[in-house]
Amino acid sequence: MILVTGGAGYIGSHICVQLLQAGHEVLVLDNFSNSKPEALRRVECIAGKKIHLLEGDIRDSTILDRALSHPVRAVIHLAGLKAVGESVNKPVDYYSVNVTGTLNLIQAMQRHQVYQLVFSSSATVYGTPETVPIKEDTPLHPESPYGRSKWMAEQILHDLSLSVANWKIVVLRYFNPVGAHPSGLIGEDPSGVPNNLMPYISQVASGKRPLLQIYGNDYPTPDGTGIRDYIHVEDLAAGHLAALTALKHSNELLTINLGTGHGHSVMEVLNAYESACGSKLSYQISARRPGDVAFYWADPSQATKILGWTARKDLQSMCNDSWRWQKLNPNGFC
Ligand code: NAD
Ligand code: UFG
């Protein structure tokens, strides 16, 4: 059985589908602070299999003990808070969930002698990189409480792996996850105004928002708009299954980028989304967003070498799947 913390969320739900389809028993622990139980019902519907569910907070040792009293072989730890801007205003919440929550999980895993862990980290730990593509040994300069909370959790896991030989840990640094399951049944369901590009464009396409603000067209990029490494959430999920296999054979902590190795500009994403939804979308150029980096993308060669994993889906399929999800579920999971 695989314990997936935060399994009802955007990325977790896509991982659960693939785990079930690969024949794993799945136990989700989630407090539904940023997700809905309906997501898991749909996961079951896609996979045609049942999920075991515990509702609770990763900072609650009692609920972790209850989760780990199941025959859990490995944990995929996704539960966390993830909004850069919000983290500046609520740093304590971010350190509490992302750092204390992770510590609490590790302690519970030690009590139950479960030593295999896949951890969700983020490219945000690199901050503004000096060179691209970004390799895993690029110096880390997280620039927000969110980024620092992920960096701290990574440090804790690193020290843990050095202290006790039996821990097998893979830290995955995600680039920009987008897209949705091709069924249109699960996808990203942001609460309030979306912070990120793809969910915002989706809401412009569905008529929920009048226009996209493009944050700057004077960056040193071919069309002047910011460039990121967008990765289809299905590819990202597949990376977790590859990590679960790899950690069985590894004796050291592995830190691996999950990205495509290609960057796309805001304009390119907008154009691909217009092709997906079949209409022109309104936009306006506005000032740069404070803290934004001009461009970056991953060097994903370690993922290929160590996990045997490569991202397969292109920008057009990310936009097509995102639009299908948006069109079929204009109000998300409701
Ligand atoms: P999400 O918010 O959709 O999913 C996180 C899940 O964790 C939610 O279901 C939420 O209810 C749950 N959760 C939050 N706090 C909890 C707590 N204290 N106890 C139990 N459950 C809790 O986010 P996501 O996009 O699926 O991200 C998953 C992980 O990946 C996060 O750790 C995030 O930091 C990381 N990540 C996400 C992105 C991205 O752009 N989506 C990029 C890099 C890294
Ligand atoms: N952008 C717009 N308009 C918008 C939203 C975004 O022009 O309404 C632009 C941004 O300026 C940037 C690009 O679109 O150039 C991507 O922005 P996102 O907010 O979608 O993504 P970020 O790269 O800023 O950050 C995201 C997550 C971070 C995570 C990082 C890498 O928010 O938490 O990806 O995984 F760390």
Side-chain angles (χ1 to χ4, degrees), residues 216 273 289 317:
Y273 212 102
R289 186 170 63 175
S317 77

Side-chain angles (χ1 to χ4, degrees), residues 117-136:
L117 176 66
V118 178
F119 176 67
S120 292
S121 189
S122 167
T124 199
V125 297
Y126 295 115
T128 306
E130 274 164 25
T131 53
V132 288
I134 301 179
K135 292 177 183 295
E136 289 83 352

Side-chain angles (χ1 to χ4, degrees), residues 33-305:
S33 58
N34 197 38
S35 57
K36 303 208 175 74
E38 173 65 11
L40 294 176
R41 201 192 60 73
R42 296 201 188 177
V43 166
E44 292 178 334
C45 173
I46 295 168
K49 292 183 181 161
K50 287 277 172 209
I51 280 182
H52 305 269
L53 170 66
L54 270 177
E55 182 171 351
D57 196 300
I58 50 165
R59 291 165 295 178
D60 176 352
S61 301
T62 313
I63 197 88
L64 283 175
D65 280 333
R66 206 176 322 150
L68 288 159
S69 62
H70 290 77
V72 171
R73 172 174 75 76
V75 179
I76 301 181
H77 177 36
L78 301 130
L81 303 181
K82 62 165 182 176
V84 173
E86 182 187 61
S87 77
V88 175
N89 299 320
K90 297 181 177 173
V92 175
D93 288 357
Y94 275 69
Y95 292 121
S96 171
V97 176
N98 294 357
V99 182
T100 309
T102 301
L103 257 180
N104 210 29
L105 173 67
I106 294 165
Q107 287 173 317
M109 289 173 69
Q110 277 178 321
R111 283 197 295 281
H112 294 267
Q113 297 175 358
V114 177
Y115 295 114
Q116 297 187 28
L117 176 66
V118 178
F119 176 67
S120 292
S121 189
S122 167
T124 199
V125 297
Y126 295 115
T128 306
E130 274 164 25
T131 53
V132 288
I134 301 179
K135 292 177 183 295
E136 289 83 352
D137 59 4
T138 296
L140 305 183
H141 298 294
E143 288 164 5
S144 67
Y146 168 60
R148 283 187 283 276
S149 72
K150 287 289 178 187
W151 174 78
M152 286 177 195
E154 284 198 16
Q155 294 302 308
I156 291 167
L157 296 175
H158 181 74
D159 289 340
L160 175 65
S161 74
L162 293 178
S163 71
V164 194
N166 42 6
W167 275 94
K168 293 174 183 293
I169 301 172
V170 182
V171 170
L172 297 176
R173 292 183 182 148
Y174 312 159
F175 279 66
N176 288 53
V178 295
H181 193 270
S183 64
L185 285 172
I186 55 171
E188 191 167 9
D189 182 14
S191 53
V193 182
N195 294 310
N196 298 119
L197 180 64
M198 185 81 77
Y200 202 102
I201 295 179
S202 298
Q203 295 194 2
V204 174
S206 71
K208 211 168 176 179
R209 314 233 166 244
L211 54 78
L212 172 73
Q213 300 281 353
I214 295 184
Y215 299 137
N217 67 347
D218 56 354
Y219 283 110
T221 61
D223 64 22
T225 64
I227 291 181
R228 296 289 182 276
D229 186 340
Y230 298 95
I231 173 170
H232 197 296
V233 66
E234 284 235 287
D235 278 333
L236 193 75
H240 290 73
L241 272 77
L244 273 184
T245 306
L247 55 64
K248 280 191 251 172
H249 310 294
S250 167
N251 290 319
E252 53 176 356
L253 178 139
L254 301 171
T255 301
I256 295 178
N257 286 339
L258 290 184
T260 65
H262 307 287
H264 290 289
S265 71
V266 175
M267 262 319 186
E268 286 174 328
V269 176
L270 185 65
N271 291 339
Y273 212 102
E274 288 179 337
S275 299
C277 70
S279 52
K280 283 282 176 201
L281 301 174
S282 304
Y283 68 90
Q284 192 175 62
I285 305 295
S286 60
R288 291 181 179 190
R289 186 170 63 175
D292 267 354
V293 176
F295 54 84
Y296 63 77
W297 53 90
D299 176 341
S301 54
Q302 287 296 99
T304 307
K305 191 170 144 202

